Amino acid sequence: MTSTVGQVIRCRAAVAWEAGKPLVMEEVEVAPPQANEVRVKILFTSLCHTDVYFWEAKGQNPLFPRIYGHEAGGIVESVGEGVTDLKPGDHVLPVFTGECKECAHCKSEESNMCDLLRINTDRGVMLNDGKSRFSINGKPIYHFVGTSTFSEYTVIHVGCLAKINPLAPLDKVCVLSCGISTGLGATLNVAKPAKGSTVAVFGLGAVGLAAAEGARIAGASRIIGVDLNSNRFEEAKKFGATEFVNPKDYNKPVQEVIAEMTNGGVDRSVECTGNIDAMISAFECVHDGWGVAVLVGVPHKDAVFKTHPMNLLNERTLKGTFFGNYKPRSDLPSVVEKYMSKELEVEKFITHTVPFSEINKAFEYMLRGEGLRCIIRMEE
């Protein structure tokens, strides 16, 4: 690896040239890392719904050409000036948000919303100099959420890399760098259900199933899955779900259905859809006196949350979370250890695998709603 240090690396990357069009395999030039940056050889990456959302240009300002990808596992190739806690050969998970370790958020035990490195979907360049590290024939190709893992090599701010156990299989734990940790942490770190408690999970995609997995690990006695697609219910049993509710099957609000099922409401709920009605239902279905609802899904920018203030005055708690309240550098290594000790199962989230040259198949699976996570192998 050392022969490439300080040199421009030419490698393959899947480039999105325009919104909604298949990615194109290109040879890109990847510049060496600058101060506080790390160049990483990506070995495995997976497709998350966020990549698809911005590729379709449904997110903020569309920015093309761009290299998407943010759920991944790789090995450090070289480090820039000032990087002391990573060295070539280290195994890392890139994360779409970061931990500078110096701002008020990073110093707070309660927050993981780093001032410097929290997610910014509009920025397509590096913080150090406002430039891209990717180019084709001298033309810059933009970054995505500071990671851009749909490339054999990428350059990432040191604060957005979690150093993990080198014995952990990167083709499995790569899915912990975004969605799975988001759902898992929403339950374990924020909802914090007690052993024997009841938990409702709204939305049974990958994040919701990870929230259910968190409830299973916590020892919840009843885990109620709520989804408009009843086909998801069988799969959800593998993640600990014990009962299911499809709101379409009832002619009254789903929060009333859940309250009747649970003698007044669940102890905890976790909302993983981003649908505003589901958010309101998730809050209103928790028990008065002690119920806690946690919002994970990202709503439409014009959405408004409405509930009667008595729902709060009756001692229900509403919380929000970002990346499951995990600080990437400090906390992700321990999530990987949960997998290594067999406390957390990640294999069941992985439903497809494709070689890098067939990355567009991963998009097809997700657009058709097939499977949970598709692993993309960079080396074919």
Side-chain angles (χ1 to χ4, degrees), residues 48 221 317:
C48 169
S221 62
T317 300

Side-chain angles (χ1 to χ4, degrees), residues 234-246:
E234 196 56 40
E235 181 81 17
K237 290 178 184 173
K238 297 179 199 167
F239 299 84
T242 57
E243 299 156 73
F244 305 96
V245 175
N246 186 332

Side-chain angles (χ1 to χ4, degrees), residues 128-331:
N128 191 50
D129 60 357
K131 292 179 180 167
S132 174
R133 301 289 173 262
F134 298 111
S135 60
I136 297 178
N137 299 326
K139 177 182 164 58
I141 309 292
Y142 294 109
H143 296 250
F144 178 62
V145 296
T147 51
S148 293
T149 60
F150 295 164
S151 174
E152 291 175 319
Y153 286 87
T154 185
V155 177
I156 299 173
H157 192 286
V158 64
C160 297
L161 288 165
K163 178 182 173 181
I164 63 160
N165 184 341
L167 298 177
L170 289 172
D171 60 331
K172 307 289 193 299
V173 298
C174 62
V175 298
L176 295 175
S177 69
C178 177
I180 310 310
S181 293
T182 295
L184 186 75
T187 302
L188 293 178
N189 299 339
V190 188
K192 297 180 181 170
K195 194 170 170 49
S197 59
T198 53
V199 179
V201 176
F202 286 72
L204 298 174
V207 175
L209 292 174
E213 177 82 350
R216 180 189 71 76
I217 291 170
S221 62
R222 296 174 71 185
I223 302 171
I224 302 167
V226 184
D227 202 293
L228 296 170
N229 179 357
S230 297
N231 294 335
R232 289 178 158 178
F233 292 168
E234 196 56 40
E235 181 81 17
K237 290 178 184 173
K238 297 179 199 167
F239 299 84
T242 57
E243 299 156 73
F244 305 96
V245 175
N246 186 332
K248 291 192 292 195
D249 294 344
Y250 300 88
N251 55 9
K252 58 183 166 188
V254 70
Q255 50 268 49
E256 292 179 20
V257 175
I258 292 171
E260 286 172 15
M261 288 170 65
T262 55
N263 194 20
V266 289
D267 301 312
R268 300 289 186 265
S269 71
V270 185
E271 187 287 322
C272 304
T273 70
N275 176 286
I276 195 70
D277 295 323
M279 291 182 170
I280 293 165
S281 298
F283 175 55
E284 294 183 353
C285 82
V286 299
H287 206 289
D288 58 6
W290 60 79
V292 178
V294 178
L295 305 186
V296 181
V298 179
H300 186 272
K301 62 180 184 350
D302 299 323
V304 177
F305 187 99
K306 289 184 178 174
T307 191
H308 197 281
M310 281 311 297
N311 288 321
L312 287 155
L313 294 171
N314 285 337
E315 298 179 10
R316 292 179 183 88
T317 300
L318 179 64
K319 289 184 167 188
T321 178
F322 172 71
F323 190 53
N325 271 54
Y326 286 119
K327 293 180 190 277
R329 295 159 89 179
S330 301
D331 299 335

Side-chain angles (χ1 to χ4, degrees), residues 50-68:
T50 305
D51 296 306
V52 176
Y53 185 73
F54 284 91
W55 165 74
E56 292 178 320
K58 290 180 179 173
Q60 280 99 315
N61 303 318
L63 189 61
F64 295 95
R66 204 168 201 182
I67 296 172
Y68 286 96

